[in-house]
Amino acid sequence: MVELIKEMFGVDPRSSTGPIYTSSSQYEVQWMGETIGLEPWKAGDDDLGTRWESNGSTNEWLEVNFAQPQQIAKAVISEYAKAVTSYRLEYWDEASQDWVSLADGSSIGSKKTHEFDAVTASKVRLSIPSAANRISISEFRLYGPDGSDLIFPESISNNNAVYLPNAS
């Protein structure tokens, strides 16, 4: 994965100043003759006015990839438009080489908080098997067991956020 990112974008994700957001798809709109993307990194930019939006409504995901494993004990998700009808919050377990469920639910809404026993992981994914429409997530934030924000204070910018379709 690291080599693919370096080849495609000329960026070593391990040297990024913040996590890299990836997704299963990305919706793009035409506005005043320009293509505007609703990229995954916008779900981590600390701005409820921006968002990631999927192309579809089934089997979509939004993932946060850290350069180094982090202790994670809390996730806060904000949905821009209420469309999600089922979701799973998962982390990548290096030992089993598989996704492990942290929480699940039937709707997210304007703000959903999940607290759980701390896990150490380099990837966390919001997996969305079904939604009533395209999925639109304005923020997907992760926190350590001490309450520290794992996304900020290091800021996310378009310079270090990468979109990889079907990269997981």
Side-chain angles (χ1 to χ4, degrees):
M1 174 73 80
V2 171
E3 293 306 314
L4 177 64
I5 293 171
K6 285 168 59 176
E7 180 180 322
M8 289 177 68
F9 301 99
V11 173
D12 184 336
R14 297 169 297 192
S15 65
S16 170
T17 59
I20 295 174
Y21 281 72
T22 60
S23 66
S24 52
S25 70
Q26 166 185 317
Y27 186 69
E28 294 180 343
V29 295
Q30 295 294 318
W31 188 68
M32 297 180 66
E34 301 225 5
T35 300
I36 298 173
L38 299 172
E39 299 94 348
W41 66 267
K42 291 179 180 174
D45 66 357
D46 202 28
D47 183 352
L48 290 173
T50 63
R51 65 189 187 274
W52 162 71
E53 190 165 316
S54 68
N55 251 346
S57 61
T58 58
N59 299 317
E60 298 283 354
W61 50 264
L62 177 63
E63 188 176 301
V64 180
N65 297 274
F66 293 99
Q68 301 295 322
Q70 303 289 317
Q71 276 204 312
I72 304 160
K74 178 178 166 183
V76 178
I77 310 158
S78 299
E79 192 176 7
Y80 183 81
K82 294 179 182 178
V84 172
T85 56
S86 69
Y87 71 93
R88 282 185 317 277
L89 184 63
E90 305 167 311
Y91 76 96
W92 181 253
D93 180 46
E94 288 294 331
S96 68
Q97 293 289 292
D98 202 5
W99 291 102
V100 177
S101 181
L102 289 167
D104 57 32
S106 58
S107 65
I108 295 173
S110 62
K111 185 176 184 181
K112 179 72 75 172
T113 301
H114 288 286
E115 294 187 40
F116 39 85
D117 291 337
V119 297
T120 301
S122 59
K123 298 190 279 189
V124 176
R125 176 171 76 177
L126 176 63
S127 181
I128 305 167
S130 65
N133 204 338
R134 288 190 309 266
I135 297 131
S136 193
I137 303 294
S138 50
E139 287 296 312
F140 179 26
R141 306 294 293 274
L142 300 168
Y143 299 85
D146 61 356
S148 60
D149 189 330
L150 299 176
I151 309 303
F152 286 95
E154 295 180 319
S155 65
I156 297 296
S157 73
N158 201 8
N159 295 330
N160 68 350
V162 177
Y163 166 64
L164 293 175
N166 302 310
S168 191

